CSV table of all heavy atoms in Angstrom, one decimal:
chain,number,residue,atom,x,y,z
N,1,MET,N,-53.3,-68.4,-104.0
N,1,MET,CA,-53.0,-67.9,-105.3
N,1,MET,C,-51.5,-67.2,-105.1
N,1,MET,O,-51.3,-66.6,-104.1
N,1,MET,CB,-53.9,-66.8,-105.7
N,1,MET,CG,-53.7,-66.5,-107.1
N,1,MET,SD,-54.8,-65.0,-107.6
N,1,MET,CE,-53.7,-63.6,-107.3
N,26,LEU,N,-33.3,-47.7,-117.0
N,26,LEU,CA,-33.9,-47.9,-118.3
N,26,LEU,C,-33.6,-49.2,-118.9
N,26,LEU,O,-34.4,-50.0,-119.3
N,26,LEU,CB,-33.6,-46.7,-119.3
N,26,LEU,CG,-34.6,-45.6,-119.3
N,26,LEU,CD1,-34.0,-44.5,-120.1
N,26,LEU,CD2,-35.9,-46.1,-120.0
N,29,ARG,N,-35.2,-52.1,-117.2
N,29,ARG,CA,-36.6,-52.2,-117.4
N,29,ARG,C,-36.9,-52.9,-118.7
N,29,ARG,O,-37.8,-53.7,-118.7
N,29,ARG,CB,-37.3,-50.7,-117.5
N,29,ARG,CG,-37.2,-49.9,-116.3
N,29,ARG,CD,-37.8,-48.6,-116.7
N,29,ARG,NE,-37.3,-47.6,-115.8
N,29,ARG,CZ,-37.5,-46.3,-115.9
N,29,ARG,NH1,-38.2,-45.9,-116.8
N,29,ARG,NH2,-36.9,-45.5,-115.0
N,51,LEU,N,-43.8,-31.3,-110.7
N,51,LEU,CA,-44.3,-30.0,-110.4
N,51,LEU,C,-44.1,-29.7,-108.9
N,51,LEU,O,-44.1,-28.5,-108.5
N,51,LEU,CB,-45.8,-30.0,-110.5
N,51,LEU,CG,-46.2,-29.9,-112.1
N,51,LEU,CD1,-47.7,-30.1,-112.3
N,51,LEU,CD2,-45.9,-28.4,-112.6
N,86,ILE,N,-49.3,-41.2,-117.6
N,86,ILE,CA,-48.9,-40.0,-117.0
N,86,ILE,C,-49.5,-39.9,-115.6
N,86,ILE,O,-50.7,-40.0,-115.5
N,86,ILE,CB,-49.4,-38.8,-117.9
N,86,ILE,CG1,-48.9,-39.1,-119.4
N,86,ILE,CG2,-48.8,-37.5,-117.3
N,86,ILE,CD1,-49.4,-37.9,-120.3
N,104,VAL,N,-47.8,-41.2,-91.6
N,104,VAL,CA,-46.3,-40.7,-91.7
N,104,VAL,C,-46.2,-39.5,-90.8
N,104,VAL,O,-47.0,-38.6,-90.9
N,104,VAL,CB,-46.0,-40.4,-93.1
N,104,VAL,CG1,-44.4,-40.0,-93.2
N,104,VAL,CG2,-46.2,-41.6,-94.1
N,105,THR,N,-45.2,-39.4,-90.0
N,105,THR,CA,-44.9,-38.2,-89.2
N,105,THR,C,-44.1,-37.2,-89.9
N,105,THR,O,-43.2,-37.6,-90.8
N,105,THR,CB,-44.2,-38.5,-87.8
N,105,THR,OG1,-42.9,-39.1,-88.2
N,105,THR,CG2,-45.0,-39.6,-87.1
N,120,GLN,N,-31.7,-29.1,-99.5
N,120,GLN,CA,-30.4,-28.3,-99.5
N,120,GLN,C,-30.1,-27.8,-100.9
N,120,GLN,O,-29.7,-26.6,-101.2
N,120,GLN,CB,-29.2,-29.0,-99.0
N,120,GLN,CG,-29.3,-29.2,-97.4
N,120,GLN,CD,-28.4,-30.3,-96.9
N,120,GLN,OE1,-27.7,-30.9,-97.6
N,120,GLN,NE2,-28.4,-30.5,-95.6
N,137,ILE,N,-44.5,-39.6,-99.8
N,137,ILE,CA,-45.9,-40.2,-99.6
N,137,ILE,C,-46.5,-40.5,-100.9
N,137,ILE,O,-47.1,-41.6,-101.2
N,137,ILE,CB,-46.7,-39.4,-98.6
N,137,ILE,CG1,-46.0,-39.1,-97.3
N,137,ILE,CG2,-48.1,-40.0,-98.5
N,137,ILE,CD1,-46.6,-38.2,-96.3
N,150,THR,N,-41.8,-55.0,-107.4
N,150,THR,CA,-40.5,-54.7,-107.8
N,150,THR,C,-40.4,-53.4,-108.4
N,150,THR,O,-41.0,-53.0,-109.4
N,150,THR,CB,-39.9,-55.8,-108.9
N,150,THR,OG1,-40.3,-57.1,-108.4
N,150,THR,CG2,-38.5,-55.8,-109.0
N,159,PRO,N,-34.2,-44.5,-100.2
N,159,PRO,CA,-35.0,-44.0,-99.1
N,159,PRO,C,-36.6,-43.9,-99.4
N,159,PRO,O,-37.4,-44.0,-98.5
N,159,PRO,CB,-34.5,-42.6,-98.8
N,159,PRO,CG,-33.1,-42.6,-99.4
N,159,PRO,CD,-33.2,-43.4,-100.6
N,167,ILE,N,-44.9,-47.5,-94.9
N,167,ILE,CA,-46.3,-47.1,-95.0
N,167,ILE,C,-47.1,-48.3,-95.2
N,167,ILE,O,-48.2,-48.5,-94.6
N,167,ILE,CB,-46.5,-46.1,-96.2
N,167,ILE,CG1,-45.9,-44.7,-95.8
N,167,ILE,CG2,-48.0,-45.9,-96.5
N,167,ILE,CD1,-45.9,-43.7,-97.0
N,195,LEU,N,-23.8,-43.1,-112.0
N,195,LEU,CA,-22.8,-42.8,-113.1
N,195,LEU,C,-22.4,-41.2,-113.0
N,195,LEU,O,-23.4,-40.4,-112.8
N,195,LEU,CB,-23.5,-43.0,-114.4
N,195,LEU,CG,-22.6,-43.1,-115.6
N,195,LEU,CD1,-21.8,-44.4,-115.5
N,195,LEU,CD2,-23.4,-43.0,-116.9
N,208,LEU,N,-25.5,-28.5,-114.7
N,208,LEU,CA,-24.0,-28.6,-114.7
N,208,LEU,C,-23.5,-28.9,-116.2
N,208,LEU,O,-22.3,-28.8,-116.4
N,208,LEU,CB,-23.4,-29.7,-113.9
N,208,LEU,CG,-23.6,-29.5,-112.3
N,208,LEU,CD1,-23.3,-30.9,-111.6
N,208,LEU,CD2,-22.8,-28.4,-111.8
N,252,LEU,N,-16.6,-47.0,-118.9
N,252,LEU,CA,-16.3,-48.4,-119.5
N,252,LEU,C,-16.9,-49.4,-118.6
N,252,LEU,O,-17.4,-50.4,-119.1
N,252,LEU,CB,-14.8,-48.5,-119.7
N,252,LEU,CG,-14.3,-47.8,-121.0
N,252,LEU,CD1,-12.7,-47.8,-121.0
N,252,LEU,CD2,-14.9,-48.3,-122.3
N,274,LEU,N,-6.9,-53.8,-120.2
N,274,LEU,CA,-6.8,-52.4,-120.5
N,274,LEU,C,-6.5,-51.6,-119.3
N,274,LEU,O,-5.6,-50.7,-119.4
N,274,LEU,CB,-8.0,-51.8,-121.2
N,274,LEU,CG,-8.0,-50.4,-121.8
N,274,LEU,CD1,-7.3,-50.5,-123.2
N,274,LEU,CD2,-9.3,-49.9,-122.0
N,282,GLY,N,2.0,-46.1,-120.4
N,282,GLY,CA,2.1,-46.5,-121.8
N,282,GLY,C,0.9,-46.5,-122.6
N,282,GLY,O,0.9,-46.9,-123.6
N,290,ARG,N,-11.4,-43.2,-127.4
N,290,ARG,CA,-11.9,-43.8,-128.7
N,290,ARG,C,-12.5,-45.1,-128.5
N,290,ARG,O,-13.7,-45.2,-129.1
N,290,ARG,CB,-10.7,-43.9,-129.6
N,290,ARG,CG,-10.9,-43.1,-130.8
N,290,ARG,CD,-9.7,-43.3,-131.9
N,290,ARG,NE,-9.0,-42.2,-132.0
N,290,ARG,CZ,-7.6,-42.1,-132.1
N,290,ARG,NH1,-6.9,-43.3,-132.1
N,290,ARG,NH2,-7.0,-41.0,-132.2
N,291,LEU,N,-12.1,-45.9,-127.6
N,291,LEU,CA,-12.8,-47.2,-127.4
N,291,LEU,C,-14.2,-46.9,-126.9
N,291,LEU,O,-15.3,-47.4,-127.2
N,291,LEU,CB,-12.1,-48.0,-126.4
N,291,LEU,CG,-12.8,-49.2,-125.8
N,291,LEU,CD1,-13.1,-50.3,-126.9
N,291,LEU,CD2,-12.1,-49.9,-124.6
N,300,LEU,N,-25.9,-46.3,-128.5
N,300,LEU,CA,-26.8,-45.2,-128.6
N,300,LEU,C,-27.4,-45.1,-130.0
N,300,LEU,O,-28.5,-44.6,-130.2
N,300,LEU,CB,-26.1,-43.9,-128.3
N,300,LEU,CG,-25.7,-43.7,-126.8
N,300,LEU,CD1,-24.9,-42.4,-126.5
N,300,LEU,CD2,-27.0,-43.8,-125.9
N,301,GLU,N,-26.6,-45.6,-131.0
N,301,GLU,CA,-27.1,-45.4,-132.4
N,301,GLU,C,-28.6,-46.0,-132.6
N,301,GLU,O,-29.5,-45.3,-133.1
N,301,GLU,CB,-26.1,-46.1,-133.3
N,301,GLU,CG,-26.5,-45.9,-134.9
N,301,GLU,CD,-26.8,-44.4,-135.2
N,301,GLU,OE1,-26.1,-43.5,-134.7
N,301,GLU,OE2,-27.7,-44.3,-136.0
N,318,TYR,N,-49.1,-39.7,-127.9
N,318,TYR,CA,-50.2,-39.4,-127.0
N,318,TYR,C,-51.2,-40.4,-126.9
N,318,TYR,O,-51.8,-40.6,-125.9
N,318,TYR,CB,-50.7,-37.9,-127.3
N,318,TYR,CG,-49.9,-36.9,-126.8
N,318,TYR,CD1,-49.0,-36.2,-127.7
N,318,TYR,CD2,-50.0,-36.4,-125.5
N,318,TYR,CE1,-48.2,-35.2,-127.1
N,318,TYR,CE2,-49.2,-35.5,-124.9
N,318,TYR,CZ,-48.2,-34.9,-125.8
N,318,TYR,OH,-47.4,-33.8,-125.3
N,325,CYS,N,-53.0,-44.6,-119.6
N,325,CYS,CA,-53.7,-43.9,-118.5
N,325,CYS,C,-54.9,-44.6,-118.2
N,325,CYS,O,-55.3,-44.9,-117.0
N,325,CYS,CB,-53.9,-42.5,-118.8
N,325,CYS,SG,-52.5,-41.4,-118.7
N,338,ASP,N,-60.1,-51.2,-102.4
N,338,ASP,CA,-59.7,-52.0,-101.3
N,338,ASP,C,-59.3,-51.2,-100.0
N,338,ASP,O,-59.6,-51.5,-98.9
N,338,ASP,CB,-58.5,-52.9,-101.7
N,338,ASP,CG,-58.9,-53.9,-102.7
N,338,ASP,OD1,-60.1,-54.2,-102.9
N,338,ASP,OD2,-58.0,-54.5,-103.3
N,346,ASN,N,-66.2,-46.9,-97.0
N,346,ASN,CA,-67.0,-47.3,-98.2
N,346,ASN,C,-68.4,-47.4,-97.9
N,346,ASN,O,-69.1,-48.5,-98.1
N,346,ASN,CB,-66.4,-48.7,-98.6
N,346,ASN,CG,-66.6,-49.8,-97.5
N,346,ASN,OD1,-66.6,-49.4,-96.3
N,346,ASN,ND2,-66.7,-51.0,-97.8
N,358,SER,N,-79.3,-50.1,-88.9
N,358,SER,CA,-80.7,-50.2,-88.8
N,358,SER,C,-81.2,-50.9,-87.7
N,358,SER,O,-82.1,-50.5,-87.0
N,358,SER,CB,-81.4,-50.7,-90.2
N,358,SER,OG,-80.8,-50.2,-91.3
Side-chain angles (χ1 to χ4, degrees):
M1 198 188 84
L26 262 170
R29 291 179 207 174
L51 283 167
I86 308 175
V104 182
T105 63
Q120 281 163 4
I137 300 175
T150 312
I167 290 173
L195 200 71
L208 293 172
L252 284 172
L274 190 78
R290 240 184 247 142
L291 168 69
L300 294 176
E301 184 52 38
Y318 279 98
C325 286
D338 293 347
N346 60 331
S358 311

